[in-house]
mmCIF file of all heavy atoms in Angstrom:
data_model
loop_
_atom_site.group_PDB
_atom_site.id
_atom_site.type_symbol
_atom_site.label_atom_id
_atom_site.label_comp_id
_atom_site.label_asym_id
_atom_site.label_seq_id
_atom_site.Cartn_x
_atom_site.Cartn_y
_atom_site.Cartn_z
ATOM 1 N N ARG H 113 37.598 -7.887 35.066
ATOM 2 C CA ARG H 113 37.592 -7.463 33.694
ATOM 3 C C ARG H 113 38.942 -7.615 33.068
ATOM 4 O O ARG H 113 39.093 -8.196 32.033
ATOM 5 C CB ARG H 113 37.136 -6.003 33.592
ATOM 6 C CG ARG H 113 37.060 -5.472 32.166
ATOM 7 C CD ARG H 113 36.730 -4.024 32.167
ATOM 8 N NE ARG H 113 36.780 -3.453 30.800
ATOM 9 C CZ ARG H 113 37.925 -2.945 30.260
ATOM 10 N NH1 ARG H 113 39.017 -2.927 30.913
ATOM 11 N NH2 ARG H 113 37.867 -2.515 29.056
ATOM 12 N N LYS H 114 39.991 -7.033 33.768
ATOM 13 C CA LYS H 114 41.349 -7.040 33.266
ATOM 14 C C LYS H 114 41.871 -8.498 33.179
ATOM 15 O O LYS H 114 42.550 -8.846 32.169
ATOM 16 C CB LYS H 114 42.224 -6.184 34.188
ATOM 17 C CG LYS H 114 43.625 -6.011 33.723
ATOM 18 C CD LYS H 114 44.409 -5.086 34.657
ATOM 19 C CE LYS H 114 45.826 -4.919 34.277
ATOM 20 N NZ LYS H 114 46.607 -4.074 35.197
ATOM 21 N N GLY H 115 41.494 -9.306 34.163
ATOM 22 C CA GLY H 115 41.977 -10.697 34.094
ATOM 23 C C GLY H 115 41.404 -11.521 32.942
ATOM 24 O O GLY H 115 42.079 -12.365 32.395
ATOM 25 N N LEU H 116 40.091 -11.199 32.669
ATOM 26 C CA LEU H 116 39.469 -11.887 31.622
ATOM 27 C C LEU H 116 39.952 -11.491 30.235
ATOM 28 O O LEU H 116 40.219 -12.322 29.356
ATOM 29 C CB LEU H 116 37.954 -11.717 31.708
ATOM 30 C CG LEU H 116 37.008 -12.521 30.773
ATOM 31 C CD1 LEU H 116 37.248 -14.052 30.931
ATOM 32 C CD2 LEU H 116 35.568 -12.206 31.041
ATOM 33 N N ILE H 117 40.268 -10.214 30.101
ATOM 34 C CA ILE H 117 40.905 -9.739 28.804
ATOM 35 C C ILE H 117 42.278 -10.362 28.679
ATOM 36 O O ILE H 117 42.668 -10.825 27.625
ATOM 37 C CB ILE H 117 40.965 -8.160 28.799
ATOM 38 C CG1 ILE H 117 39.555 -7.562 28.750
ATOM 39 C CG2 ILE H 117 41.859 -7.709 27.681
ATOM 40 C CD1 ILE H 117 39.451 -6.075 28.977
ATOM 41 N N LYS H 118 43.018 -10.422 29.792
ATOM 42 C CA LYS H 118 44.338 -10.989 29.739
ATOM 43 C C LYS H 118 44.266 -12.464 29.360
ATOM 44 O O LYS H 118 45.109 -12.925 28.553
ATOM 45 C CB LYS H 118 44.966 -10.853 31.152
ATOM 46 C CG LYS H 118 46.514 -11.145 31.117
ATOM 47 C CD LYS H 118 47.088 -11.126 32.578
ATOM 48 C CE LYS H 118 46.839 -9.893 33.324
ATOM 49 N NZ LYS H 118 47.463 -9.869 34.690
ATOM 50 N N GLN H 119 43.328 -13.214 29.905
ATOM 51 C CA GLN H 119 43.171 -14.637 29.577
ATOM 52 C C GLN H 119 42.880 -14.814 28.071
ATOM 53 O O GLN H 119 43.354 -15.723 27.440
ATOM 54 C CB GLN H 119 42.072 -15.257 30.471
ATOM 55 C CG GLN H 119 41.793 -16.701 30.155
ATOM 56 C CD GLN H 119 43.002 -17.594 30.557
ATOM 57 O OE1 GLN H 119 43.698 -17.358 31.482
ATOM 58 N NE2 GLN H 119 43.202 -18.688 29.787
ATOM 59 N N LEU H 120 41.951 -13.964 27.554
ATOM 60 C CA LEU H 120 41.519 -14.122 26.175
ATOM 61 C C LEU H 120 42.629 -13.717 25.110
ATOM 62 O O LEU H 120 42.747 -14.229 24.074
ATOM 63 C CB LEU H 120 40.272 -13.297 25.908
ATOM 64 C CG LEU H 120 38.988 -13.744 26.527
ATOM 65 C CD1 LEU H 120 37.944 -12.754 26.350
ATOM 66 C CD2 LEU H 120 38.592 -15.160 25.989
ATOM 67 N N SER H 121 43.471 -12.730 25.545
ATOM 68 C CA SER H 121 44.402 -12.172 24.622
ATOM 69 C C SER H 121 45.835 -12.736 24.787
ATOM 70 O O SER H 121 46.609 -12.532 23.880
ATOM 71 C CB SER H 121 44.482 -10.628 24.782
ATOM 72 O OG SER H 121 44.942 -10.319 26.029
ATOM 73 N N SER H 122 46.167 -13.431 25.887
ATOM 74 C CA SER H 122 47.544 -13.818 26.000
ATOM 75 C C SER H 122 47.769 -15.093 25.117
ATOM 76 O O SER H 122 46.942 -15.847 24.749
ATOM 77 C CB SER H 122 47.784 -14.247 27.455
ATOM 78 O OG SER H 122 47.133 -15.418 27.824
ATOM 79 N N ALA H 123 49.108 -15.164 24.815
ATOM 80 C CA ALA H 123 49.494 -16.315 24.040
ATOM 81 C C ALA H 123 49.331 -17.638 24.756
ATOM 82 O O ALA H 123 49.024 -18.710 24.208
ATOM 83 C CB ALA H 123 51.015 -16.164 23.585
ATOM 84 N N ALA H 124 49.435 -17.582 26.166
ATOM 85 C CA ALA H 124 49.195 -18.763 26.907
ATOM 86 C C ALA H 124 47.747 -19.070 27.095
ATOM 87 O O ALA H 124 47.340 -20.193 27.438
ATOM 88 C CB ALA H 124 49.827 -18.616 28.351
ATOM 89 N N GLY H 125 46.854 -18.084 26.760
ATOM 90 C CA GLY H 125 45.379 -18.244 26.853
ATOM 91 C C GLY H 125 44.903 -18.581 25.502
ATOM 92 O O GLY H 125 45.254 -19.504 24.804
ATOM 93 N N ASP H 126 43.989 -17.665 25.011
ATOM 94 C CA ASP H 126 43.273 -17.956 23.771
ATOM 95 C C ASP H 126 43.960 -17.291 22.584
ATOM 96 O O ASP H 126 43.741 -17.635 21.452
ATOM 97 C CB ASP H 126 41.858 -17.495 23.791
ATOM 98 C CG ASP H 126 41.041 -18.367 24.801
ATOM 99 O OD1 ASP H 126 41.147 -18.172 26.016
ATOM 100 O OD2 ASP H 126 40.326 -19.246 24.284
ATOM 101 N N GLY H 127 44.767 -16.289 22.805
ATOM 102 C CA GLY H 127 45.554 -15.619 21.725
ATOM 103 C C GLY H 127 44.684 -14.702 20.830
ATOM 104 O O GLY H 127 45.140 -14.332 19.735
ATOM 105 N N TYR H 128 43.570 -14.225 21.304
ATOM 106 C CA TYR H 128 42.787 -13.218 20.511
ATOM 107 C C TYR H 128 43.509 -11.897 20.563
ATOM 108 O O TYR H 128 44.297 -11.622 21.521
ATOM 109 C CB TYR H 128 41.452 -13.019 21.172
ATOM 110 C CG TYR H 128 40.444 -14.126 20.969
ATOM 111 C CD1 TYR H 128 40.166 -15.059 21.974
ATOM 112 C CD2 TYR H 128 39.876 -14.393 19.769
ATOM 113 C CE1 TYR H 128 39.327 -16.138 21.771
ATOM 114 C CE2 TYR H 128 38.987 -15.434 19.501
ATOM 115 C CZ TYR H 128 38.691 -16.296 20.550
ATOM 116 O OH TYR H 128 37.894 -17.318 20.360
ATOM 117 N N PRO H 129 43.438 -11.142 19.508
ATOM 118 C CA PRO H 129 44.000 -9.799 19.497
ATOM 119 C C PRO H 129 43.451 -9.002 20.743
ATOM 120 O O PRO H 129 42.291 -9.210 21.034
ATOM 121 C CB PRO H 129 43.556 -9.143 18.182
ATOM 122 C CG PRO H 129 43.262 -10.317 17.338
ATOM 123 C CD PRO H 129 42.752 -11.379 18.217
ATOM 124 N N MET H 130 44.187 -8.139 21.259
ATOM 125 C CA MET H 130 43.737 -7.383 22.378
ATOM 126 C C MET H 130 42.468 -6.588 22.210
ATOM 127 O O MET H 130 41.583 -6.613 23.079
ATOM 128 C CB MET H 130 44.915 -6.331 22.851
ATOM 129 C CG MET H 130 44.570 -5.558 24.073
ATOM 130 S SD MET H 130 44.320 -6.502 25.611
ATOM 131 C CE MET H 130 46.025 -6.722 26.028
ATOM 132 N N ALA H 131 42.272 -6.002 21.048
ATOM 133 C CA ALA H 131 41.075 -5.274 20.693
ATOM 134 C C ALA H 131 39.917 -6.200 20.706
ATOM 135 O O ALA H 131 38.792 -5.836 21.194
ATOM 136 C CB ALA H 131 41.228 -4.488 19.395
ATOM 137 N N VAL H 132 40.044 -7.373 20.087
ATOM 138 C CA VAL H 132 38.914 -8.292 19.996
ATOM 139 C C VAL H 132 38.558 -8.824 21.471
ATOM 140 O O VAL H 132 37.368 -8.897 21.856
ATOM 141 C CB VAL H 132 39.309 -9.558 19.114
ATOM 142 C CG1 VAL H 132 38.203 -10.657 19.223
ATOM 143 C CG2 VAL H 132 39.478 -9.024 17.683
ATOM 144 N N ALA H 133 39.581 -9.092 22.240
ATOM 145 C CA ALA H 133 39.321 -9.521 23.660
ATOM 146 C C ALA H 133 38.661 -8.479 24.454
ATOM 147 O O ALA H 133 37.677 -8.720 25.107
ATOM 148 C CB ALA H 133 40.684 -10.006 24.292
ATOM 149 N N THR H 134 39.085 -7.261 24.333
ATOM 150 C CA THR H 134 38.479 -6.187 25.014
ATOM 151 C C THR H 134 37.044 -5.904 24.664
ATOM 152 O O THR H 134 36.159 -5.761 25.495
ATOM 153 C CB THR H 134 39.353 -4.866 24.802
ATOM 154 O OG1 THR H 134 40.634 -5.115 25.255
ATOM 155 C CG2 THR H 134 38.740 -3.656 25.618
ATOM 156 N N ASP H 135 36.750 -5.875 23.329
ATOM 157 C CA ASP H 135 35.457 -5.728 22.834
ATOM 158 C C ASP H 135 34.522 -6.883 23.316
ATOM 159 O O ASP H 135 33.360 -6.607 23.696
ATOM 160 C CB ASP H 135 35.353 -5.610 21.265
ATOM 161 C CG ASP H 135 35.922 -4.324 20.783
ATOM 162 O OD1 ASP H 135 36.131 -3.316 21.599
ATOM 163 O OD2 ASP H 135 36.185 -4.253 19.584
ATOM 164 N N ALA H 136 35.003 -8.112 23.261
ATOM 165 C CA ALA H 136 34.273 -9.266 23.722
ATOM 166 C C ALA H 136 33.844 -9.086 25.172
ATOM 167 O O ALA H 136 32.695 -9.314 25.559
ATOM 168 C CB ALA H 136 34.970 -10.502 23.547
ATOM 169 N N VAL H 137 34.808 -8.752 26.028
ATOM 170 C CA VAL H 137 34.591 -8.640 27.447
ATOM 171 C C VAL H 137 33.628 -7.456 27.772
ATOM 172 O O VAL H 137 32.747 -7.600 28.559
ATOM 173 C CB VAL H 137 35.934 -8.507 28.289
ATOM 174 C CG1 VAL H 137 35.681 -8.117 29.688
ATOM 175 C CG2 VAL H 137 36.697 -9.798 28.102
ATOM 176 N N ASP H 138 33.837 -6.363 27.077
ATOM 177 C CA ASP H 138 33.018 -5.170 27.253
ATOM 178 C C ASP H 138 31.584 -5.333 26.774
ATOM 179 O O ASP H 138 30.682 -4.594 27.198
ATOM 180 C CB ASP H 138 33.631 -3.951 26.656
ATOM 181 C CG ASP H 138 34.865 -3.502 27.447
ATOM 182 O OD1 ASP H 138 35.033 -3.952 28.577
ATOM 183 O OD2 ASP H 138 35.657 -2.663 26.880
ATOM 184 N N SER H 139 31.338 -6.327 25.899
ATOM 185 C CA SER H 139 30.018 -6.610 25.440
ATOM 186 C C SER H 139 29.212 -7.409 26.468
ATOM 187 O O SER H 139 27.934 -7.480 26.329
ATOM 188 C CB SER H 139 30.009 -7.292 24.075
ATOM 189 O OG SER H 139 30.451 -8.693 24.245
ATOM 190 N N LEU H 140 29.888 -7.973 27.436
ATOM 191 C CA LEU H 140 29.191 -8.819 28.429
ATOM 192 C C LEU H 140 28.672 -7.870 29.561
ATOM 193 O O LEU H 140 29.208 -6.823 29.731
ATOM 194 C CB LEU H 140 30.154 -9.786 29.045
ATOM 195 C CG LEU H 140 30.824 -10.744 28.047
ATOM 196 C CD1 LEU H 140 31.838 -11.665 28.747
ATOM 197 C CD2 LEU H 140 29.722 -11.623 27.345
ATOM 198 N N HIS H 141 27.657 -8.298 30.256
ATOM 199 C CA HIS H 141 27.171 -7.622 31.446
ATOM 200 C C HIS H 141 27.574 -8.379 32.674
ATOM 201 O O HIS H 141 26.860 -9.223 33.133
ATOM 202 C CB HIS H 141 25.632 -7.468 31.318
ATOM 203 C CG HIS H 141 25.208 -6.706 30.106
ATOM 204 N ND1 HIS H 141 25.319 -5.359 29.983
ATOM 205 C CD2 HIS H 141 24.642 -7.187 28.954
ATOM 206 C CE1 HIS H 141 24.873 -4.988 28.816
ATOM 207 N NE2 HIS H 141 24.436 -6.051 28.202
#
Side-chain angles (χ1 to χ4, degrees):
R113 178 184 176 276
K114 188 175 177 181
L116 190 53
I117 292 169
K118 193 185 308 183
Q119 179 65 36
L120 291 171
S121 64
S122 74
D126 292 79
Y128 287 104
M130 181 62 80
V132 170
T134 302
D135 288 345
V137 170
D138 288 346
S139 74
L140 303 175
H141 300 287

